[in-house]
């Protein structure tokens, strides 16, 4: 089995324009990336900015594996208010267009809002139905544009934060081009890492690689937290995972671009040794 490709999420530079960091990312040996959609990093609504980013990415020989769709409490595809829901879907469709314009293979999406807690059952089911309807609209546009939609497992305290919720939503989408992105940190916090790997194994296209100590979504480099990485790698092999690993790491306060990239390279080496 060939070693998996290891890429870098540009989210570690979310407060810097993407054009200001691409050269250094490529010089650090990363030839595949997931693109962050935070407005200060890349305004996915601005066609000129998107075109310039795409041209630079391809000129450097970088493979744009994915664009991470925007997520916020206000981007709520489950909303009971149809106008609010339509606005949220519009944001995701704009991200689809940007992903396609940059040649991305996948769009990674949080299937629920950044909102804590589970509402009463009747409201929960209504929100689940709204999410499924919204996701079908986004999935259809992704299919038209030739990109895959990937649903990411959420943090356990958020709406749809459990594996069964993900499986329901995946089963509700009518397009076979839809898959899953496993966030190792989220699954570790939910105490469901093994179950998530196995239940989603047939859908997995991408892994967001990050670590934590079981109490916060720290986005540490692998080996800096409590995840058992040799076990995790062996489980992915056992499930015949054939996608890409994307390092999704947090930068430290006032950390320079070279220092952040040095940590990312160390994380890549750590994973490569395990493979």
């Amino acid at each position: 089995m060939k070693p998996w490709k290891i890429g870098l999420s540009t989210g570690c530079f979310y407060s810097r324009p993407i054009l200001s960091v691409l050269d250094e990312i490529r010089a650090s040996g990363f030839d595949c990336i997931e693109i962050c959609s935070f407005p200060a990093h890349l305004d996915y609504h601005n066609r000129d900015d998107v075109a310039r980013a795409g041209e630079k990415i391809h000129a450097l020989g970088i493979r744009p594996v994915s664009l991470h769709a925007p997520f916020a409490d206000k981007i709520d595809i489950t909303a009971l208010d149809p106008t609010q829901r339509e606005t949220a879907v519009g944001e995701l469709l704009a991200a689809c267009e940007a992903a396609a314009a940059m040649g991305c293979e996948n769009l990674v999406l949080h299937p629920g809002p950044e909102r804590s807690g589970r509402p009463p059952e009747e409201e929960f089911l209504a929100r689940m139905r709204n999410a499924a309807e919204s996701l079908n609209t986004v999935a259809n546009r992704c299919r038209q544009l030739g990109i895959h939609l990937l649903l990411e497992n959420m943090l356990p305290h958020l709406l749809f934060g459990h594996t069964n919720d993900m499986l329901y939503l995946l089963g509700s989408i009518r397009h076979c081009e839809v898959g899953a992105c496993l966030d190792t940190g989220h699954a570790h916090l939910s105490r469901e890492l093994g179950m998530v790997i196995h239940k989603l194994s047939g859908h997995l296209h991408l892994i967001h690689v990050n670590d934590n100590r079981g109490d916060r979504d720290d986005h540490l480099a692998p080996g800096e937290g409590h995840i058992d990485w040799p076990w995790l790698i062996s489980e992915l092999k056992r499930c015949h995972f054939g996608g890409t690993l994307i390092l999704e790491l947090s930068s430290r306060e006032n950390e320079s671009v070279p220092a952040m990239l040095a940590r990312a390279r160390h994380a890549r080496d750590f994973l490569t040794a395990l493979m």
Side-chain angles (χ1 to χ4, degrees):
M1 182 175 178
K2 291 172 61 176
W4 302 304
K5 291 286 290 184
I6 302 173
L8 179 68
S9 166
T10 67
C12 56
F13 303 120
Y14 74 94
S15 61
R16 303 173 188 264
I18 189 170
L19 290 174
S20 72
V21 295
L22 284 171
D23 285 297
E24 290 180 85
I25 289 173
R26 186 66 184 91
S28 290
F30 287 101
D31 60 2
C32 56
I33 59 172
E34 177 171 282
I35 301 166
C36 168
S37 62
F38 191 74
H41 185 68
L42 175 68
D43 182 357
Y44 58 93
H45 289 286
N46 188 312
R47 291 186 178 183
D48 291 338
D49 286 358
V50 168
R52 281 192 289 270
E55 289 166 6
K56 181 73 169 178
I57 287 166
H58 290 284
L60 290 170
I62 296 174
R63 173 184 159 218
V65 175
S66 48
L67 172 71
H68 199 308
F71 57 93
D73 185 49
K74 64 181 181 180
I75 301 178
D76 185 1
I77 62 173
T78 78
L80 303 180
D81 177 353
T83 302
Q84 184 183 356
R85 194 164 67 249
E86 184 179 343
T87 299
V89 170
E91 287 295 309
L92 299 180
L93 293 177
C96 292
E97 301 292 336
M102 291 184 291
C104 296
E105 300 163 21
N106 305 289
L107 180 76
V108 176
L109 187 153
H110 289 183
E114 302 298 299
R115 180 180 303 134
S116 297
R118 182 183 174 115
E121 194 67 12
E122 186 175 345
E123 180 185 337
F124 177 82
L125 293 174
R127 287 183 176 275
M128 185 74 87
R129 288 192 295 270
N130 289 345
E133 181 182 345
S134 300
L135 290 170
N136 270 295
T137 300
V138 177
N140 185 54
R141 187 58 184 142
C142 284
R143 181 186 60 80
Q144 292 168 349
L145 293 167
I147 57 180
H148 289 91
L149 176 63
L150 304 182
L151 306 187
E152 178 179 344
N153 58 305
M154 304 278 284
L155 284 163
H157 67 279
L158 298 177
L159 192 68
F160 308 155
H162 294 283
T163 312
N164 289 338
D165 302 331
M166 273 276 289
L167 290 169
Y168 174 86
L169 291 170
L170 284 166
S172 299
I173 299 173
R174 294 183 290 273
H175 303 287
C176 62
E177 294 87 353
V178 177
C181 169
L182 165 66
D183 186 298
T184 59
H186 294 176
H188 182 59
L189 288 170
S190 72
R191 309 296 192 266
E192 292 183 340
L193 185 50
M195 184 170 71
V196 172
I197 291 172
H198 289 278
K199 285 199 171 184
L200 296 181
S201 61
H203 305 278
L204 278 180
H205 289 247
L206 197 66
I207 310 289
H208 280 173
V209 175
N210 61 91
D211 208 341
N212 61 62
R213 299 184 179 94
D215 54 353
R216 292 190 308 169
D217 190 26
D218 295 309
H219 283 264
L220 303 173
E224 294 180 353
H226 295 166
I227 292 177
D228 183 345
W229 290 97
W231 167 83
L232 191 152
I233 295 295
S234 69
E235 289 299 289
L236 290 176
K237 287 180 177 178
R238 197 153 68 89
C239 292
H240 306 290
F241 173 69
T244 303
L245 308 181
I246 295 289
L247 292 164
E248 195 181 49
L249 310 179
S250 289
S251 59
R252 295 167 178 165
E253 188 175 0
N254 300 320
E255 186 172 31
S256 67
V257 173
M260 176 68 243
L261 288 170
R263 289 200 298 116
R265 288 194 304 272
H266 185 269
R268 182 184 61 201
D269 294 344
F270 174 87
L271 292 172
T272 300
L274 292 178
M275 291 191 284

